[in-house]
Amino acid sequence: MNIKLWNQIREQVKLKQNNRCYLCNKEVKGRSANVHHIIDRRFKDLELAPFNLVLLCPRCHKFDKFSVHNTSIYFSEILRKREPERYELLINYLLKNSY
């Protein structure tokens, strides 16, 4: 991954979300800002796609019982309700590229 480009895109995601966690809306700054890939990095063409990234606090990213890594279906449902167009774009990508 191109680190310079990743850092630029990471900053774009943080700005788009006003430095707020996508799930709990907590302000996220500095090293606690976790930019999460909705569709994981194995899909290289989405690795740096801003529409595939969300800003999360550490708790929502990894540490809570409902974190995106512990209960991805929970996150998927939130994304589907909040941003149905984004959800459809990503789910259609998976359907097209997973088989």
Side-chain angles (χ1 to χ4, degrees):
M1 179 186 308
N2 179 325
I3 298 300
K4 185 175 181 177
L5 182 56
W6 167 248
N7 286 331
Q8 290 172 346
I9 293 169
R10 188 174 185 276
E11 289 304 312
Q12 288 174 5
V13 172
K14 289 169 59 179
L15 285 172
K16 180 182 176 195
Q17 290 183 221
N18 297 316
N19 292 310
R20 296 270 175 201
C21 176
Y22 188 83
L23 295 175
C24 72
N25 203 36
K26 177 182 173 186
E27 186 174 20
V28 186
K29 293 182 180 180
R31 296 176 65 90
S32 66
N34 290 231
V35 175
H36 172 72
H37 291 84
I38 299 168
I39 296 176
D40 72 57
R41 293 180 288 179
R42 286 180 291 160
F43 295 89
K44 295 297 183 191
D45 48 333
L46 292 182
E47 188 173 32
L48 297 173
F51 64 86
N52 186 42
L53 302 168
V54 291
L55 179 65
L56 299 169
C57 70
R59 181 174 166 228
C60 290
H61 191 215
K62 292 185 180 177
F63 301 115
D64 189 64
K65 67 180 178 179
F66 291 114
S67 75
V68 296
H69 287 286
N70 290 330
T71 54
S72 59
I73 196 165
Y74 173 73
F75 175 77
S76 178
E77 187 62 15
I78 290 171
L79 181 66
R80 185 183 67 78
K81 286 180 179 178
R82 284 189 193 168
E83 298 182 78
E85 298 86 15
R86 184 178 186 182
Y87 175 85
E88 287 297 320
L89 176 72
L90 291 168
I91 204 74
N92 286 331
Y93 174 87
L94 279 178
L95 291 170
K96 182 179 172 185
N97 293 287
S98 293
Y99 300 101

